[in-house]
Amino acid sequence: MSDHHPPTSHPLQTASPGHPPRHPMAPSIKQERRKRQRKKEEDDGGSDSSSEELLTPRASPKNNTAAAATAGINRPTALVTFPSSEASVSRVVGISAAVQSAIESKLGRRDGDDRDKLLLNMNILIGNKTAIVEAAAKCSASLRKRTFEAIPTKKFALKTRKPFVAAAMSKAWSTLYEVLRNKNHGLTTRVLKDLTVFIEILERAHKYCLGESERAKISSNKGMKTVKLTKAALDREYGKGGGKPYDEPCARCNHAFTEKEPDFDEKRKENRKIEKKFIENRKHLEGYENNERDDPPLDEAGKTVTKFANPKLLPTHVQCQCLKNYNSLVRGGKKCFFGCKYGGVQYPLGECPICQCDCNFVCDTNKYIDTKRHYEMERLKNETTADERAQANEYLDRAGRFGREMESDVADHLHSLREDGGLEGYSATKIDHVAREAGCDGQAKMI
């Protein structure tokens, strides 16, 4: 008896008319795909430590709710915080080659983090390369490719020199930064915990280099250059090392996050004495020239003075602190001083005007009005003609002189009253603020 064999015709020949041909093994293939998909999901998030993707506040509320309901537990605590607006996605830009090179130089310096610390965290990053590349792939194919190329495959040897480690870290950061700023990256809690120190190191270096770039830009400004301070003074954090808040906004960026140098009040007090003496000498000369008094003003050599030059005041510096303010990409890192609430508006974390500003302008308050006017005119250059700007400058010059004279007169009068026992409860700083407001108000009214 012969065995029965199935027909040997090709499956395509048995397809019914009007319907696409179907392979006999199609159901098992779909089942296999489902199994592989389930296995992949389990591998990506099967344990308690990495079962949830690290969804950022920019992720949709629907996804957050679904993840929490599915897991049946609270959200993980070690989250990376990001802005919650869709508009922020459009601001995710790469790091320029110049800034990347500057970061490399900053990390490679002898006065920076020690080599062992950099090496350890670079090797931790390399150990998480697969997860980072997968996260980059969720952002874009091009970012995945660049991330794969930027992060080495093999870990560095323990004897690797610091410059080589610094170069590798800056190159890796050029793409990791884009990944972290993208709402779709989906890096897990475990990976982000591993990368916390790496991110903090690179964030500080990145901000520092942006500040240096900004200072170079300001220093080349022919109108009003930033005042040069020591490195220690520039690196001082807001409210530390003797610095105190200043009542006026930055003359350049106009943000209300400025701070007085530690010796500001002492120098301002000395300047008031200089200004008071100058006013007395000027009145003396005017009285002598108008035959109101017989004694002429004399200099130190006993010679009659016919003209008094403007007094040379001690520089009183205020520093814009916008550069040092940012909201770290990792929870537990640096926080925005304002909580990203500025001007009565609550911004998504990291998206307030202060966090987005890289200004660290240093201004001498003796030239504050002129400096502020200069940068206001710069902002208006694209909106006005040359003739209009020239006419406005001439008028603002007169208004500025009027404002400075009014400020000086008011300050001199109020400080005299305070020294005589009046104005109880008014500090010297408050009086200076009142005088500055009077000067600005007088300038504004003239305009």
Side-chain angles (χ1 to χ4, degrees):
M1 186 171 106
S2 62
D3 294 334
H4 176 72
H5 296 281
T8 58
S9 60
H10 194 277
L12 294 179
Q13 295 175 352
T14 63
S16 58
H19 296 278
R22 181 173 62 86
H23 196 284
M25 296 299 291
S28 62
I29 292 174
K30 289 182 179 179
Q31 291 173 0
E32 200 63 34
R33 286 177 180 170
R34 292 193 191 100
K35 287 180 181 179
R36 286 199 299 269
Q37 181 63 27
R38 283 196 297 269
K39 186 175 185 305
K40 183 177 184 302
E41 290 173 356
E42 290 172 359
D43 290 341
D44 287 344
S47 64
D48 290 340
S49 63
S50 60
S51 60
E52 297 171 311
E53 286 189 346
L54 191 60
L55 299 177
T56 70
R58 284 198 303 192
S60 66
K62 179 180 178 182
N63 290 340
N64 282 329
T65 305
T70 303
I73 57 174
N74 294 330
R75 298 294 299 156
T77 56
L79 299 181
V80 168
T81 54
F82 291 102
S84 59
S85 66
E86 291 294 334
S88 63
V89 178
S90 63
R91 285 199 285 267
V92 178
V93 294
I95 298 173
S96 67
V99 173
Q100 181 183 329
S101 178
I103 292 174
E104 177 183 339
S105 299
K106 168 65 175 171
L107 294 175
R109 290 180 186 174
R110 293 182 179 179
D111 59 349
D113 293 304
D114 62 81
R115 182 191 66 89
D116 292 343
K117 182 178 181 180
L118 299 183
L119 181 61
L120 171 64
N121 287 282
M122 183 63 205
N123 282 339
I124 290 174
L125 179 83
I126 294 172
N128 287 282
K129 177 176 180 176
T130 301
I132 298 171
V133 172
E134 288 177 357
K138 294 180 180 179
C139 302
S140 71
S142 63
L143 182 57
R144 179 201 176 281
K145 180 181 179 182
R146 287 187 287 115
T147 303
F148 181 83
E149 294 173 349
I151 302 177
T153 302
K154 293 183 179 180
K155 294 184 178 182
F156 287 95
L158 295 178
K159 295 183 179 181
T160 305
R161 295 173 58 192
K162 188 176 183 180
F164 292 103
V165 181
M169 292 183 82
S170 64
K171 185 176 181 180
W173 178 247
S174 66
T175 57
L176 179 61
Y177 177 76
E178 291 185 56
V179 174
L180 292 172
R181 294 289 293 175
N182 196 299
K183 68 171 185 173
N184 298 318
H185 68 73
L187 285 170
T188 61
T189 304
R190 179 190 61 77
V191 174
L192 287 163
K193 282 182 177 179
D194 285 350
L195 301 181
T196 295
V197 179
F198 180 95
I199 294 170
E200 289 177 341
I201 292 173
L202 270 298
E203 276 183 328
R204 288 196 301 269
H206 190 178
K207 263 292 187 179
Y208 174 86
C209 294
L210 290 175
E212 288 297 296
S213 174
E214 196 74 7
R215 285 186 67 81
K217 188 189 305 180
I218 297 170
S219 297
S220 64
N221 191 303
K222 296 180 181 180
M224 294 291 174
K225 296 181 180 181
T226 183
V227 176
K228 292 183 179 181
L229 297 181
T230 63
K231 183 179 182 300
L234 288 174
D235 291 344
R236 192 184 64 251
E237 293 290 334
Y238 183 77
K240 297 182 180 179
K244 296 178 182 179
Y246 186 58
D247 295 324
E248 304 295 334
C250 174
R252 180 174 179 266
C253 71
N254 205 36
H255 291 146
F257 196 41
T258 50
E259 184 180 52
K260 299 184 289 186
E261 289 299 295
D263 59 357
F264 181 94
D265 291 334
E266 183 180 344
K267 287 184 176 180
R268 175 60 72 88
K269 186 176 181 180
E270 189 64 29
N271 283 343
R272 285 197 296 268
K273 294 179 181 179
I274 296 173
E275 289 174 334
K276 184 176 181 180
K277 182 65 176 176
F278 172 74
I279 292 172
E280 290 175 353
N281 290 336
R282 188 176 61 181
K283 288 181 178 178
H284 187 170
L285 179 61
E286 289 175 355
Y288 177 75
E289 290 177 341
N290 295 331
N291 297 320
E292 296 174 359
R293 55 188 302 170
D294 298 328
D295 56 323
L298 306 175
D299 60 15
E300 295 178 355
K303 296 181 180 180
T304 301
V305 178
T306 58
K307 183 178 180 181
F308 285 100
N310 289 330
K312 292 182 179 180
L313 302 177
L314 301 175
T316 50
H317 297 146
V318 292
Q319 181 181 170
C320 180
Q321 295 284 348
C322 286
L323 175 70
K324 299 168 194 168
N325 184 78
Y326 61 92
N327 207 79
S328 177
L329 293 172
V330 289
R331 179 163 293 181
K334 191 177 178 69
K335 300 294 182 184
C336 174
F337 183 83
F338 301 92
C340 287
K341 185 175 183 179
Y342 185 77
V345 178
Q346 178 63 64
Y347 292 86
L349 293 179
E351 293 294 328
C352 72
I354 308 298
C355 285
Q356 295 293 313
C357 182
D358 296 324
C359 179
N360 60 349
F361 188 76
V362 182
C363 176
D364 184 349
T365 58
N366 299 317
K367 305 174 182 177
Y368 178 84
I369 293 178
D370 292 336
T371 305
K372 187 171 177 63
R373 188 198 69 197
H374 170 81
Y375 283 106
E376 285 176 348
M377 291 300 294
E378 277 204 342
R379 285 191 283 270
L380 291 173
K381 273 184 179 179
N382 296 329
E383 303 174 13
T384 56
T385 65
D387 290 340
E388 288 172 335
R389 289 196 299 273
Q391 185 178 3
N393 256 324
E394 181 182 353
Y395 196 79
L396 287 172
D397 272 333
R398 284 185 285 154
R401 287 195 295 271
F402 178 77
R404 287 191 296 274
E405 290 174 1
M406 177 173 285
E407 178 185 349
S408 178
D409 290 342
V410 171
D412 182 61
H413 175 67
L414 294 180
H415 281 294
S416 296
L417 288 177
R418 183 171 178 268
E419 290 170 1
D420 294 338
L423 298 179
E424 184 178 352
Y426 276 77
S427 65
T429 301
K430 190 170 184 179
I431 288 176
D432 287 338
H433 179 64
V434 171
R436 172 59 56 81
E437 289 291 329
C440 291
D441 186 56
Q443 181 182 8
K445 286 181 178 178
M446 184 174 179
I447 294 173

